[in-house]
Amino acid sequence: MSEVQETQRDQAAILRFIERYAGHLADAGMQRMAARVFVALLCQDSGRMTATDMAESLQVSPAAISGAVRYLTQANMVEREREPGSRRDYYVVKDDLWYDVITRREQLIHRWESTMREGMDLLGENTPAGMRWKETLEFYAFLHERLPDVMLEWRERRAELHRKWGLGD
Amino acid sequence: MSEVQETQRDQAAILRFIERYAGHLADAGMQRMAARVFVALLCQDSGRMTATDMAESLQVSPAAISGAVRYLTQANMVEREREPGSRRDYYVVKDDLWYDVITRREQLIHRWESTMREGMDLLGENTPAGMRWKETLEFYAFLHERLPDVMLEWRERRAELHRKWGLGD
DNA sequence: TCTTAACTTCATGATTTTGTGAAGTAAGTG
DNA sequence: CACTTACTTCACAAAATCATGAAGTTAAGA
């Protein structure tokens, strides 16, 4: 036990952690494999991995990785990078990850607006049910209006933390 | 066409709307049947329905409703009410629905904290990967701290709208 | 007490989702 | 111009999820 270097990581434990946290994300509606890949990426110091690395460390087929990274890039949670003169794709998590994730999700919800408006019209704008949808539209408008400020506030807090942690922004 | 009363609702269209909006919620990770039941409830003037009503209007079995309302009550999106001296359960959506839904979801995420902390420790608090989880913990702490204010702000905005719409708060 | 209505639970079948292996495409490398 | 590596697509099988009917439970009402 004492012979193990302190900086050496317990890979098995990290894999279990990946499964556990990916499970949380899956509970919240994310595809399981995409969640695994995403969390695995978050556990890399570099925040970068090739598809081959992922397949190997998660013990799944390259095909599964292919599907997962398509989901993640479409959801804008991960970016694909290719070094010139190489066939190897690197997938990388953004620097200010949560800013992007939240902003994205808000945009998704914003696309439900037209459906809600239709519901309101069908039920009648001045009926109790119609007004419930009207209020819902107002709620999403409120979020759409207010969230950017809050996320900006986060950016400031984050910059401050990085200063404190000696990361030089 | 002109013989139809203006206040009469197009039930078929409303059912299609229910399916459509429930589909959005399902995309966001909610169980399909629970989403249907929830949206159906939102389309009632009273915001209340019995399980039997739901089964009938959505054309599904009582068993499916039973499962869906269990999900919804556990997720605190809907409340069960029983009138004394009756065997009929009414399910009802809260008045300030979105306040509760958002607050709930935030609480759910808060429960992931211990998992995240474990990840941070496994990776080493001072490694780049460990610091990413540290930052994530800070982000959720930020939300936990900031969201209540924002939702309170929503309550004020809502009260104002209700005044404008003549709903007397 | 017996009947009936309201709801739940459970086993089952159907559908959907997920991950795989195999085949295919594309792009560096010798 | 072949060879190899990196990745994607596709058909299929395994697994998970979903909704149902049937049986069970509880409680009101006769």
Side-chain angles (χ1 to χ4, degrees), chain B residues 63-129:
Chain B
I65 301 296
S66 180
V69 296
R70 186 171 49 236
Y71 176 99
L72 289 170
T73 48
Q74 274 174 16
N76 227 270
M77 295 169 77
V78 149
E79 266 170 11
R80 172 184 266 124
E81 273 181 7
R82 182 170 288 199
E83 279 159 24
S86 162
R87 276 149 297 175
R88 215 180 234 119
D89 282 333
Y90 276 90
Y91 295 95
V92 10
V93 285
K94 310 248 177 101
D95 179 45
D96 194 352
L97 178 70
W98 299 110
Y99 184 93
D100 286 319
V101 168
I102 297 290
T103 306
R104 260 292 135 172
R105 181 147 268 252
E106 199 273 323
Q107 278 168 12
L108 171 81
I109 288 173
H110 205 241
R111 269 183 257 131
W112 300 354
E113 191 181 309
S114 61
T115 307
M116 288 191 262
R117 182 152 283 127
E118 192 199 324
M120 182 184 77
D121 291 341
L122 278 170
L123 291 160
E125 204 183 330
N126 296 310
T127 66

Side-chain angles (χ1 to χ4, degrees), chain A residues 157-169:
Chain A
R157 159 101 53 124
R158 179 176 180 264
E160 198 182 315
L161 286 168
H162 279 207
R163 237 171 287 129
K164 197 173 92 188
W165 296 342
L167 287 177
D169 199 47

Side-chain angles (χ1 to χ4, degrees), chain A residues 17-87:
Chain A
F17 163 68
I18 291 174
E19 291 303 320
R20 181 124 36 95
Y21 198 78
H24 290 324
L25 294 178
D27 290 344
M30 196 166 163
Q31 289 181 9
R32 171 172 294 274
M33 185 60 76
R36 279 204 202 113
V37 165
F38 183 60
V39 180
L41 222 34
L42 294 181
C43 291
Q44 291 294 316
D45 282 325
S46 60
R48 310 167 87 235
M49 280 177 111
T50 67
T52 310
D53 292 341
M54 293 170 179
E56 203 164 285
S57 91
L58 297 173
Q59 296 291 331
V60 296
S61 73
I65 301 295
S66 181
V69 296
R70 187 170 48 234
Y71 176 99
L72 290 171
T73 48
Q74 274 174 16
N76 226 272
M77 295 169 76
V78 149
E79 266 170 11
R80 174 184 263 121
E81 274 180 6
R82 183 170 288 199
E83 278 161 23
S86 164
R87 281 153 289 180

Side-chain angles (χ1 to χ4, degrees), chain A residues 84-109:
Chain A
S86 164
R87 281 153 289 180
R88 215 180 234 121
D89 282 332
Y90 275 91
Y91 295 95
V92 11
V93 285
K94 308 251 179 101
D95 179 43
D96 193 351
L97 179 68
W98 299 109
Y99 184 92
D100 286 320
V101 167
I102 297 290
T103 305
R104 260 290 137 172
R105 181 149 268 251
E106 199 274 322
Q107 280 169 10
L108 171 82
I109 289 173

Side-chain angles (χ1 to χ4, degrees), chain B residues 10-24:
Chain B
D10 182 344
Q11 284 305 326
I14 290 174
L15 282 174
R16 281 198 302 278
F17 163 68
I18 291 174
E19 291 303 321
R20 181 122 37 92
Y21 198 77
H24 289 325

